[in-house]
């Protein structure tokens, strides 16, 4: 029995900016608001490093395909 491979994608249906936080939330099975709040806290604590990390993730993480 083979388990399906979990992959991280940017979310298309629940995105606010680029879909990175919603994609992480979907991957971890948590509420996207929680991930967004944690990302904001990280950005404030790291003096803006979260913004750079978000942009890099936006570029690297592929967007999910349309489910049929």
């Amino acid at each position: 029995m083979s388990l399906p491979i979990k992959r991280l994608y940017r979310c298309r249906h629940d995105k606010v900016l680029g879909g990175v936080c919603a994609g992480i939330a979907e991957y971890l099975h948590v509420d996207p608001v929680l991930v967004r709040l944690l990302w904001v806290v990280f950005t404030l604590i790291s003096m803006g490093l979260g913004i750079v990390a978000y942009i890099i993730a936006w570029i690297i993480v592929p967007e999910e395909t349309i489910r049929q």
Side-chain angles (χ1 to χ4, degrees), residues 3 5-6 10 13 22 24-26 28 30 34 42 45 52-54 57-61 63 67:
L3 295 174
I5 298 173
K6 273 177 70 172
R10 288 186 290 125
H13 60 276
I24 292 171
E26 191 172 301
L28 297 174
V30 296
L34 178 64
F42 170 70
I45 291 173
V52 175
Y54 190 91
W58 196 349
I59 293 168
I60 292 175
V61 177
E63 191 171 44
R67 297 177 185 159

Side-chain angles (χ1 to χ4, degrees), residues 1-2 5 8 26 29 43 58:
M1 180 167 88
S2 176
I5 298 173
L8 177 62
E26 191 172 301
H29 302 290
T43 301
W58 196 349

Side-chain angles (χ1 to χ4, degrees), residues 6-26:
K6 273 177 70 172
R7 296 189 186 257
L8 177 62
Y9 294 105
R10 288 186 290 125
C11 188
R12 294 177 67 137
H13 60 276
D14 195 18
K15 68 180 182 179
V16 172
L17 186 59
V20 175
C21 290
I24 292 171
E26 191 172 301

